[in-house]
Amino acid sequence: MSPARPRPALSAVPLYAPDPTPVELDLSDNVNLWGVPPAAARALREPLEAKPNVYPHSDPVALREALARNAGVSPAQVITGCGSDDVIDGALRAFAAPGEAVAYSAPTFSMLVSFARVNGLEPAPVPFRGDGDIDPDALLARRAAITYVCSPNNPTGTGVSPAALERVVSRAEGLVLVDEAYGEYAGPSAVALLPRAPQLLVTRTLSKAFGLAGLRVGYGLAAPEVVQVLEKVRGPYKVNVLGEKAALAALAEDVGWVRGRVAEAITIRDRLRAALETLGLRALPSAANFLCLPVPDSASLGRALLGRGIKVRVLRALPGIGDAIRVGVGPWEQMERLVTTLREVLR
Ligand SMILES: *Cc1c(COP(=O)(O)O)cnc(C)c1O
């Protein structure tokens, strides 16, 4: 018997396998390091009304309504998914045929490139501009079926200027996917462009600022026509009963808590930047809840930190940047421990 043969494009897809070493301080995933918001935590402790032996809502209408209210759009403009990863993956399948291109500014979210390849699409990276902003004309010149803009960008943290974003959104020929996984930490949202942009999809998530990464609730905001197409490619039961319950509680009662932690994260991020500079580490500009620090050898620095109980994201040979580490921002005591440990390790 001959072995089953995977699709050739998969040979270029790395396995997403973050280091599983348990640590005392995990700063590698940009999640909310203050924890789960209080109303969501209470909802998770209550008994479930929905029975887990039956399926969740195929279309979680109440959740779509709450997300719509939160974003200032109509419920027909909301698609939900098992994390925003799921919405991004579905959008790549729905709006590009195999062999077509996905344009993006590199380096960006590693899963975007993997999802493109898994869906048989061609990754079409373009460089960022010298000032760290996206280069709208370089993106538009790829004439891709899908143009992806991560705002703020992971892993660099840099924000995208409203002018550059508007230029891409108003001129792109295919779908423009704006990934706002860290939108709560940044300035104006691309959601404001939706009324004028029939080909715009903005993806957001409850995994980062909303502190619910383990429950896997993400969503997309777009014109109803785009949402209807995404509904076709979405599997039927992507948001599970616990995720739906916690998300509803968080959207109803935790928005103030989330805003408070976001403001704190921004203050601490800038304080951390200054503390790192005294160690000779210069972080890239950040509009998110993490800092990207170019270093000569990220693998050895990552190993040294891991040996002292701290996990950071190790980034190798980023285009235009080189090696770097990415660290999530959390309560100041956690950041102090990072700075103290870095001081020891770099000595
Ligand atoms: C974390 C992250 C996501 C996805 O998060 P989900 O948990 O799947 O919602 C999407 N995009 C970027 C840039 C991220 O960093």
Side-chain angles (χ1 to χ4, degrees):
M1 260 198 338
S2 63
R5 264 179 301 122
R7 279 194 290 129
L10 295 184
S11 60
V13 177
L15 190 65
Y16 187 77
D19 189 319
T21 315
V23 288
E24 288 164 34
L25 184 55
D26 188 345
L27 306 177
S28 68
D29 280 329
N30 307 334
V31 293
N32 191 326
L33 294 167
W34 280 267
V36 177
R42 271 197 307 280
L44 289 167
R45 284 193 297 267
E46 287 164 7
L48 265 180
E49 320 82 73
K51 300 265 179 291
N53 66 316
V54 299
Y55 283 107
H57 297 122
S58 176
D59 176 7
V61 184
L63 178 58
R64 280 200 296 116
E65 285 169 356
L67 291 166
R69 219 172 304 125
N70 188 253
V73 300
S74 81
Q77 291 178 276
V78 181
I79 175 96
T80 54
C82 177
S84 57
D85 274 0
D86 183 37
V87 181
I88 295 167
D89 181 38
L92 296 185
R93 236 182 344 276
F95 287 94
E100 290 189 314
V102 182
Y104 58 93
S105 307
T108 196
F109 185 40
S110 63
M111 288 311 299
L112 184 269
V113 185
S114 293
F115 286 147
R117 291 218 168 90
V118 166
N119 286 299
L121 310 180
E122 291 299 326
V126 309
F128 279 95
R129 281 194 334 215
D131 64 0
D133 204 353
I134 59 167
D135 183 340
D137 294 319
L139 286 167
L140 293 166
R142 304 309 292 253
R143 308 179 73 119
I146 297 178
T147 303
Y148 171 88
V149 178
C150 191
S151 173
N153 186 51
N154 180 5
T156 57
T158 43
V160 174
S161 73
L165 188 64
E166 247 188 279
R167 188 166 173 84
V168 172
V169 169
S170 61
R171 304 199 176 203
E173 290 169 31
L175 184 81
V176 179
L177 199 173
V178 179
D179 182 341
E180 292 190 350
Y182 305 97
E184 288 87 350
Y185 300 95
S189 164
V191 172
L193 303 176
L194 279 175
R196 291 179 280 130
Q199 81 299 20
L200 172 63
L201 168 65
V202 182
T203 57
R204 310 194 95 188
T205 181
L206 299 194
S207 296
K208 304 287 163 56
F210 271 85
L212 297 175
L215 292 171
R216 315 301 304 123
V217 181
Y219 59 104
L221 307 168
E225 294 75 17
V226 170
V227 168
Q228 280 158 25
V229 174
L230 293 172
E231 286 287 351
K232 290 189 189 176
V233 297
R234 168 175 81 78
Y237 305 112
K238 289 303 181 84
V239 177
N240 67 65
V241 291
L242 275 176
E244 185 177 5
K245 184 175 164 104
L248 283 172
L251 290 162
E253 295 178 63
D254 286 327
V255 173
W257 184 91
V258 169
R259 288 210 183 106
R261 300 297 77 68
V262 164
E264 228 178 312
I266 291 170
T267 307
I268 292 176
R269 177 190 72 206
D270 297 337
R271 194 172 161 199
L272 174 64
R273 168 192 302 285
L276 292 170
E277 266 177 32
T278 68
L279 305 180
L281 295 168
R282 287 190 70 90
L284 302 181
S286 173
N289 64 334
F290 58 86
L291 289 176
C292 183
L293 303 157
V295 294
D297 180 354
S298 56
S300 72
L301 182 55
R303 265 195 309 276
L305 290 170
L306 209 52
R308 289 165 168 78
I310 300 179
K311 193 187 290 182
V312 300
R313 185 58 60 98
V314 170
L315 304 159
R316 309 296 308 270
L318 297 176
I321 296 169
D323 272 17
I325 60 167
R326 193 193 66 200
V327 299
V329 171
W332 182 246
E333 315 81 75
Q334 298 181 13
M335 302 298 99
E336 260 182 325
R337 176 164 175 192
L338 171 70
V339 173
T340 309
T341 310
L342 275 168
R343 186 175 294 120
E344 289 165 19
V345 166
L346 293 170
R347 203 167 33 213

